[in-house]
Amino acid sequence: STTISILQSKPTNVETNSILVEKDSARRFWRTPSTWECSNFGKSLTNLHAWYDASDLSSVTKDSSNRVSQFNDKSGNGRHLSQATSGSQPLWVSEGQNGKDLIDCAGSRFMKTSTWTEISQPYTFFFTALMPLNDSADRMLMDSISNTSLIYKQTTNDRFLMYAGSNAGATMTGYANTWRYVTAIFDGTNLTYRFDGVHKNTEGTTVGTGTSNGLILGARDGSGFSNSKFGEIIMVAGNPTEQEITDTEAYLKKKWGL
């Protein structure tokens, strides 16, 4: 399996302000962010399926107008997000949240991966995003290529849902148009929907058994545009442990100033 490790203590043989990303036991490489921002995240996250980090400019392909054509998967699995149509390309924003760069899916802008080998539940998303505005439209934060698993805000004000055949989620007043870190675990009748480290799914107990065969970021492939902003998305092909959830949420909270 693929593992992402963000170390609590800096080893003696690497530079200050570095993060270790490890794939398997033999392949290790380092990246250097602007600050040692993950000092409280010392655990490993197993079964990493995809990882997108807007704060790492080396993973973003953009033009002179900051339109993003590719958002690279840092897991090493090659599941890159892309958008070839100029008018639909998200915008790269410098230091947009807590001094970190972000991806802005303003208006009808979105990205998607190629179709990947279908994975069954459980699977998990950890992410940071500006929640969609309250308006008369369904706003899709994420969808699968086959439209079988969604994370979205419904037309009803402040109602944030997961879907994989059935809807479940919560009504949360004041969450629209605010930055949040979110954990969404698709696991049949044992779903988990957490905002800012707090369990929130109070409306429904199951999302169905829909699979994932790719990722659409910021839309439902040409409709349901999120009109939102994203900082980081981590997808796990499995059900993380309670400790992994706690550590990953702490990492996203600290890094993105939430």
Side-chain angles (χ1 to χ4, degrees):
S1 63
T2 301
T3 301
I4 174 174
S5 301
I6 303 181
L7 302 186
Q8 186 171 16
S9 301
K10 180 180 72 66
T12 58
N13 61 337
V14 298
E15 296 180 0
T16 301
N17 299 341
S18 55
I19 294 177
L20 171 64
V21 179
E22 179 185 8
K23 182 179 182 182
D24 300 325
S25 59
R27 295 182 56 194
R28 301 184 180 190
F29 57 95
W30 297 88
R31 72 179 183 90
T32 305
S34 58
T35 59
W36 179 243
E37 58 208 4
C38 308
S39 59
N40 67 336
F41 185 19
K43 305 295 182 181
S44 295
L45 187 60
T46 56
N47 298 316
L48 183 65
H49 192 72
W51 176 26
Y52 311 96
D53 180 4
S55 72
D56 182 359
L57 185 56
S58 68
S59 70
V60 176
T61 301
K62 63 184 183 69
D63 64 14
S64 59
S65 297
N66 291 328
R67 290 186 294 256
V68 178
S69 58
Q70 186 158 305
F71 191 10
N72 284 351
D73 170 20
K74 295 177 59 176
S75 73
N77 294 322
R79 299 182 172 105
H80 308 313
L81 289 158
S82 63
Q83 177 56 265
T85 304
S86 177
S88 296
Q89 290 173 345
L91 302 174
W92 173 82
V93 179
S94 176
E95 300 183 357
Q97 171 63 25
N98 197 37
K100 305 289 187 296
D101 304 339
L102 55 84
I103 299 295
D104 186 358
C105 292
S108 59
R109 302 172 190 271
F110 69 101
M111 308 189 84
K112 64 179 181 178
T113 65
S114 299
T115 302
W116 59 51
T117 301
E118 188 173 63
I119 59 173
S120 299
Q121 297 184 25
Y123 49 85
T124 302
F125 292 93
F126 300 97
F127 65 95
T128 56
L130 180 69
M131 296 294 105
L133 287 164
N134 279 326
D135 57 19
S136 59
D138 286 341
R139 297 292 181 183
M140 311 299 172
L141 288 161
M142 299 177 202
D143 193 5
S144 64
I145 298 295
S146 58
N147 307 132
T148 53
S149 58
L150 313 174
I151 302 171
Y152 73 106
K153 188 200 75 64
Q154 202 179 44
T155 52
T156 306
N157 280 356
D158 299 308
R159 193 161 187 242
F160 295 86
L161 299 175
M162 295 166 58
Y163 172 89
S166 302
N167 283 315
T171 298
M172 296 178 290
T173 303
Y175 277 55
N177 200 35
T178 61
W179 274 92
R180 304 286 172 172
Y181 59 96
V182 181
T183 301
I185 303 177
F186 290 83
D187 189 15
T189 59
N190 298 310
L191 75 131
T192 298
Y193 206 17
R194 292 165 60 91
F195 282 71
D196 299 341
V198 179
H199 195 69
K200 289 290 187 179
N201 52 285
T202 58
E203 300 175 15
T205 58
T206 177
V207 291
T209 58
T211 58
S212 174
N213 67 339
L215 176 63
I216 305 171
L217 183 68
R220 193 173 189 178
D221 203 7
S223 66
F225 303 106
S226 70
N227 194 25
S228 187
K229 300 178 175 69
F230 297 88
E232 192 161 353
I233 305 102
I234 301 167
M235 183 179 181
V236 174
N239 200 339
T241 66
E242 288 296 325
Q243 190 63 61
E244 287 175 325
I245 293 171
T246 298
D247 291 335
T248 306
E249 289 177 342
Y251 157 68
L252 293 174
K253 176 182 180 180
K254 182 176 178 66
K255 178 175 178 177
W256 294 95
L258 303 173

